[in-house]
């Protein structure tokens, strides 16, 4: 019984301090991470470093912090991110971001977005953009849920604040095993 109690305490502490365990509930990150995959995230990844573009992060959903989401970092603090015809441009660049992880043509809500990422936040999108509930929708949902009363008040819900990021998704362990990239 003593051994079981020690093992339980160690596993509990590791889960709260070192890693985060997540089950992927939707197709929003396909084909990088599939619905039903079980993922481990590193809670210590951003102790000294900040999230970088293309990192896959596990975070508290801006509209309802009791929910945990997983998406890819696209926009960094202070950047202007523009979505035009299924391409992403950072700070007025003439060339779009290289996104070789997208497995199909992005056709849904792929044009007319401009995001001014706040200094303490990140813009995140799913890899399966045609079905992903991501930054493109969160401000509207904040108004729909009554979390925000006006469009300008709702704008902040489009971003994930630095302190809402729980960890960096790094490893899939079920049903297939492998590193996440």
């Amino acid at each position: 019984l003593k051994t079981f109690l020690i093992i339980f305490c160690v596993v509990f502490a590791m889960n709260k301090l070192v890693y985060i365990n997540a089950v992927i509930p939707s197709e929003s990150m396909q084909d990088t991470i599939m619905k039903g995959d079980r993922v481990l995230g590193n809670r210590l990844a951003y102790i000294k470093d900040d999230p970088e573009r293309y990192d896959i992060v596990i975070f508290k959903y801006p509209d309802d912090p009791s929910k945990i989401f997983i998406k890819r970092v696209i926009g960094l603090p202070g950047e202007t991110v523009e979505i035009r015809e299924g391409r992403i441009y950072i700070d007025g660049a003439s060339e779009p971001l290289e996104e070789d992880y997208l497995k199909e043509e992005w056709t849904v809500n792929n044009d007319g977005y401009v995001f001014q990422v706040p200094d303490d936040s990140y813009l995140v999108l799913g890899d399966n953009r045609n079905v992903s509930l991501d930054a493109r929708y969160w401000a509207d949902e904040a108004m729909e849920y009554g979390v925000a009363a006006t469009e300008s008040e709702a704008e902040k819900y489009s971003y994930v604040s630095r302190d809402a990021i729980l960890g960096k998704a790094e490893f899939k362990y079920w049903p297939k095993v492998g590193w996440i990239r």
Side-chain angles (χ1 to χ4, degrees):
L1 183 62
K2 185 178 178 181
T3 302
F4 175 76
L5 186 59
I6 291 170
I7 290 171
F8 177 79
C9 289
V10 168
V11 169
F12 181 78
M14 294 283 287
N15 190 39
K16 292 296 179 188
L17 302 172
V18 178
Y19 67 86
I20 183 168
N21 190 14
V23 178
I24 307 307
S26 73
E27 296 87 5
S28 71
M29 288 298 294
Q30 281 184 200
D31 284 332
T32 307
I33 305 169
M34 306 301 282
K35 180 178 181 179
D37 280 357
R38 295 180 184 270
V39 173
L40 288 177
N42 181 356
R43 289 185 186 268
L44 304 176
Y46 302 124
I47 295 293
K48 293 189 329 190
D49 298 319
D50 290 324
E52 297 178 3
R53 189 177 338 277
Y54 305 122
D55 284 357
I56 297 174
V57 294
I58 301 168
F59 58 94
K60 295 177 184 177
Y61 177 42
D63 288 349
D64 181 356
S66 70
K67 295 180 182 177
I68 304 301
F69 273 37
I70 184 168
K71 304 284 182 212
R72 189 177 297 272
V73 173
I74 299 298
L76 301 176
E79 290 183 335
T80 299
V81 179
E82 186 176 358
I83 299 173
R84 292 191 323 249
E85 298 177 358
R87 302 280 187 254
I88 296 175
Y89 299 86
I90 305 294
D91 290 336
S94 59
E95 293 295 318
L97 285 183
E98 184 67 38
E99 296 189 287
D100 58 356
Y101 47 82
L102 298 179
K103 300 301 180 192
E104 67 182 19
E105 183 181 353
W106 180 12
T107 59
V108 176
N109 291 331
N110 69 353
D111 193 45
Y113 293 91
V114 178
F115 296 95
Q116 302 288 336
V117 184
D119 287 336
D120 64 342
S121 299
Y122 296 84
L123 180 79
V124 298
L125 298 173
D127 286 1
N128 187 0
R129 307 262 165 84
N130 292 322
V131 301
S132 181
L133 174 62
D134 53 36
R136 296 169 290 161
Y137 304 100
W138 294 343
D140 290 338
E141 285 202 344
M143 290 182 58
E144 183 179 317
Y145 294 158
V147 177
T150 65
E151 286 185 22
S152 65
E153 194 178 297
E155 185 180 330
K156 70 180 179 184
Y157 292 95
S158 296
Y159 309 101
V160 176
S161 68
R162 176 68 173 84
D163 60 352
I165 296 175
L166 302 173
K168 179 180 181 182
E170 293 186 337
F171 190 74
K172 296 185 280 190
Y173 67 90
W174 180 264
K176 295 182 180 179
V177 175
W179 295 103
I180 297 172
R181 302 195 196 300

